[in-house]
Amino acid sequence: MAVVGSDHDLGRALGRIAETAASLTGARHAAVSLRDEDGAGPGEPVAHATPPEDEPPAGGSLEVPVRVQGELFGTLHVAGKDDGEEFSDADLHLVRVLATEAGIALSNARLHSAARQRRRWIDGAASLTTALLAGPETGSTTTHALTVVAEKGRELAEAATGAVLLPHAEGGMEVVAISTVLSEAVRTEAYRGRIPPQSPVVHQIYAGLAVFSDDFADDPRSISPISRHYGPTMLLPLRSNGRVLGALALCRMSGDRRFSHTERTLGTQFAAQAAVALVLADRHRDRERLAVFEDRDRIARDLHDLVIQRLFATGMLLETARRKALVPEVQEGVGRAVDELDATIQEIRTAIIALEQGPPEAPPGLRTRVLREAGAATAALGTRPSVRFTGPVDTRVDDKSARALPAALRKALAAVTASASAPPQPTRVEIAVDLTAPLPDGRPGIRLTVTRPDGAGRPVIWERPLRGGFEA
């Protein structure tokens, strides 16, 4: 017992117990058989004193349960005494003592294994939170966060696939992030598929309850199109503050070992931690975006209240100097400087408008679309076009006109680019979007004007009523 107790390797410890049982009782065969972690089935022998025989050894046999604190872990079996006699009461006593020692060794091994497993899941949850709060280097923050949850969950559960499901706009749930060792075709099928709202799995998830299955392909609760690929599966609700955000699916292949009771518990706890981490990461990003918007507002105010006012005052001084100048060349030079200042003021106002745009994921307004088209033409023109907006273009223009105007602007800029001088000579272009000037028939409308200050080419004018389909 001292020798057995000093060995921390479960396989070697149980092997020594089987060898000791055979030696002390004179048995030709001894084996320790263990039940699985959840106590299902008698289990296969995991340690032998001698190789298993095709025929049962002659003579009697003894089979003693391996228990710890009343819990059945397996059995210690000896059979076939060397002298062909039956086992005595002393033999039975020895086997019982060794079975007790086997239970202790098994209990210690499983405690160590469970502790290591819990530590791994805890470390994984901590690294998940760190990764979510750090955010991606590039790309969508939301997609990054959900993908990290799927990847980390699959890694910790030793699963073939980890997937995050969110509510679908038409009911049910859909896969929005997946990490899998399966083929790209399965990944594509997962993204295209949807778990319908009538699925029992969906109802259970929305109720905040986990779904466990030992064979998801044959589970009557599963009507997902990709369930045929999987065996043992955990569907864990991502729940925070009583609200179900979605679900984390962790799936093993058909024929793989099923999730133990400990793994189910740890997986459920990980999903709860992941939901909290997702909420914290989202709030962290909101605070970062708010700080950026506050900086943008401050810069826009400074540009408007300080820079533009100073440039305007400088322009007034130059205009006064131009009127007082007696030399025509001086008047002409000062006039060009005033024009440049006016253009600079317009550029700063365009920059202010750009600073006041919403977050990138928000649907772009008409101002943003016009500025994007102007920015796209910068390389071809050699300088960024100046843009002027008059009136509340983001609130008064209907969707149809808001879609048509950027297309008309793109066409006009292409025409200007085609007629522009070859680089490196820049071609200046002025873009005006006016919501205050009436149309030729007197109706209120929106007018787009694209002109060249140098007088080259004809101005391009596009008009449309605020409501309706007329276009000139």
Side-chain angles (χ1 to χ4, degrees), residues 261-338:
H261 176 74
T262 300
E263 287 175 321
R264 294 180 178 187
T265 301
L266 293 173
T268 303
Q269 294 171 351
F270 173 81
Q273 178 65 30
V276 174
L278 286 172
V279 173
L280 289 177
D282 189 56
R283 292 179 180 175
H284 179 69
R285 289 190 294 270
D286 287 343
R287 286 194 296 269
E288 290 181 339
R289 284 195 292 263
L290 180 60
V292 171
F293 295 149
E294 289 176 346
D295 284 342
R296 288 184 175 184
D297 290 341
R298 177 183 55 79
I299 294 171
R301 287 194 305 269
D302 290 345
L303 287 174
H304 183 272
D305 297 341
L306 300 177
V307 178
I308 289 183
Q309 296 301 326
R310 289 181 180 178
L311 289 175
F312 184 77
T314 303
M316 294 294 292
L317 292 173
L318 289 174
E319 186 65 30
T320 302
R322 185 178 66 84
R323 288 196 301 267
K324 292 181 179 181
L326 301 178
V327 181
E329 290 80 1
V330 174
Q331 289 182 341
E332 183 180 354
V334 174
R336 287 197 301 268
V338 172

Side-chain angles (χ1 to χ4, degrees), residues 10 27 34 90 96 141 251 293 295 336 472:
L10 180 61
L34 299 181
R96 285 175 174 170
T141 55
C251 312
F293 295 149
D295 284 342
R336 287 197 301 268

